[in-house]
């Protein structure tokens, strides 16, 4: 069974600070997704990472993928309040053929 | 393009009652998913359709949950009889087939409360 673990699960940050969310997964994968979810809302796609060493950036968020280490990171630069949300990574296991989500990281950015 | 439509948005029922959720995916998206998201957890796949055929239903509690996708477009997810632990948001998602970069697009979800 494919396992996807995120850490930290809770992250409280001050505005202007940097931090990284980690996503570990247990088996071979050829694609990894990052999603954002605001309270009471559905999931919004942020990034798709398809190959080893892939890096994608959008605004203050940057995602990367290391398929050999089975690890993805979501780096937040100079956080602002609008980034407060829950962030999920989701991994498509090539053996299992389905998308498995991590537990989510609840990010709160304080002034 | 229009998004994934789901209804109802909210439903409150008592245990042992039945409930049905409806999903209309994005036009042209052959793959449709139902996920269950319990409060504080990540979404868990219940069932995946490719057109009107089931690809994966290994985590669907088949004694009480059923789903169908007639004509390869709309889908319904039914729970009968409901249990307290079925309280969750049921998310429908769709995806265009072919191309690893194609993301799952999620609907707004149907929030179920079982009393």
């Amino acid at each position: 069974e494919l396992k996807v673990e995120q850490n930290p699960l809770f992250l409280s940050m001050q505005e202007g600070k940097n931090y990284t969310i980690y996503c570990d997964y247990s088996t071979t994968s050829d694609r990894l997704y990052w999603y954002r979810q605001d309270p009471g809302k559905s999931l919004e796609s942020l990034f798709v990472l398809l190959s080893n060493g892939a890096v994608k950036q959008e605004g203050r968020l940057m995602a990367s993928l290391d398929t050999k280490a089975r690890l993805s990171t979501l780096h937040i630069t100079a956080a602002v309040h609008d980034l407060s949300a829950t962030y999920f990574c989701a991994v498509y296991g090539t053996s299992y053929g389905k998308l498995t989500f991590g537990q989510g990281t609840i990010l709160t950015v304080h002034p | 393009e229009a998004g994934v439509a789901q209804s109802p948005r909210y439903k409150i029922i008592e245990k042992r009652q039945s409930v049905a959720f409806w999903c209309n995916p994005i036009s042209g998206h052959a793959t449709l998913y139902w996920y269950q998201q319990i409060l504080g957890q990540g979404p868990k796949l219940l069932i995946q359709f490719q057109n009107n055929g089931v690809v994966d239903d290994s985590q669907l509690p088949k004694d009480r949950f059923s789903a169908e996708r007639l004509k390869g477009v709309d889908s319904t997810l039914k729970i009968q009889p409901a249990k307290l632990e079925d309280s969750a948001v049921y998310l429908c998602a769709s995806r265009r087939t072919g191309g690893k970069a194609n993301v799952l697009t999620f609907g707004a979800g149907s929030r179920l409360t079982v009393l």
Side-chain angles (χ1 to χ4, degrees):
Chain A
E1 181 185 342
L2 171 58
K3 293 192 185 305
V4 181
E5 293 192 354
Q6 291 182 231
N7 75 84
L9 299 184
F10 301 93
L11 179 53
S12 181
M13 298 177 62
Q14 274 193 308
E15 281 190 332
K17 299 291 188 183
N18 304 331
Y19 210 84
T20 300
I21 299 170
Y22 297 88
C23 173
D24 288 277
Y25 55 97
S26 62
T27 190
T28 306
S29 172
D30 64 355
R31 68 197 90 158
L32 186 143
Y33 304 81
W34 283 96
Y35 282 87
R36 168 182 171 144
Q37 186 175 39
D38 291 295
K41 306 285 187 181
S42 192
L43 287 87
E44 173 193 351
S45 175
L46 294 174
F47 301 108
V48 183
L49 302 168
L50 299 176
S51 59
N52 188 42
V55 176
K56 295 276 185 76
Q57 182 163 7
E58 180 73 33
R60 300 174 188 274
L61 299 177
M62 183 174 72
S64 66
L65 178 62
D66 181 341
T67 58
K68 292 182 177 142
R70 296 178 183 168
L71 172 69
S72 179
T73 61
L74 180 66
H75 187 72
I76 303 151
T77 302
V80 292
H81 179 69
D82 286 353
L83 290 179
S84 297
T86 301
Y87 293 85
F88 291 96
C89 65
V91 179
Y92 189 87
T94 48
S95 299
Y96 301 98
K98 66 184 178 187
L99 195 63
T100 300
F101 282 78
Q103 315 96 306
T105 297
I106 300 174
L107 170 66
T108 306
V109 181
H110 299 284
Chain B
E1 64 183 0
V4 177
Q6 289 188 248
S7 68
R9 288 294 314 277
Y10 304 93
K11 190 74 176 179
I12 301 174
I13 61 173
E14 295 189 347
K15 60 183 179 183
R16 291 187 290 273
Q17 287 187 321
S18 63
V19 63
F21 302 113
W22 172 83
C23 173
N24 180 236
I26 292 174
S27 178
H29 283 198
T31 310
L32 185 146
Y33 309 79
W34 283 101
Y35 279 85
Q36 179 193 57
Q37 187 176 21
I38 293 172
L39 187 65
Q41 298 182 18
K44 182 184 90 170
L45 179 68
L46 293 175
I47 190 167
Q48 176 182 341
F49 291 95
Q50 179 75 19
N51 296 307
N52 60 348
V54 175
V55 173
D56 186 337
D57 64 356
S58 57
Q59 297 191 95
L60 186 74
K62 297 181 186 65
D63 58 334
R64 298 182 300 105
F65 285 65
S66 64
E68 61 181 8
R69 190 182 184 197
L70 299 175
K71 301 180 182 176
V73 181
D74 292 5
S75 178
T76 55
L77 175 70
K78 295 179 182 176
I79 308 173
Q80 181 178 13
K83 292 185 174 181
L84 296 177
E85 58 260 36
D86 298 332
S87 294
V89 176
Y90 291 87
L91 293 164
C92 180
S94 69
R95 178 177 178 269
R96 190 181 304 276
T97 308
K100 297 175 185 178
N102 294 336
V103 298
L104 274 69
T105 301
F106 285 84
S110 294
R111 183 179 296 276
L112 174 65
T113 302
V114 182
L115 303 176

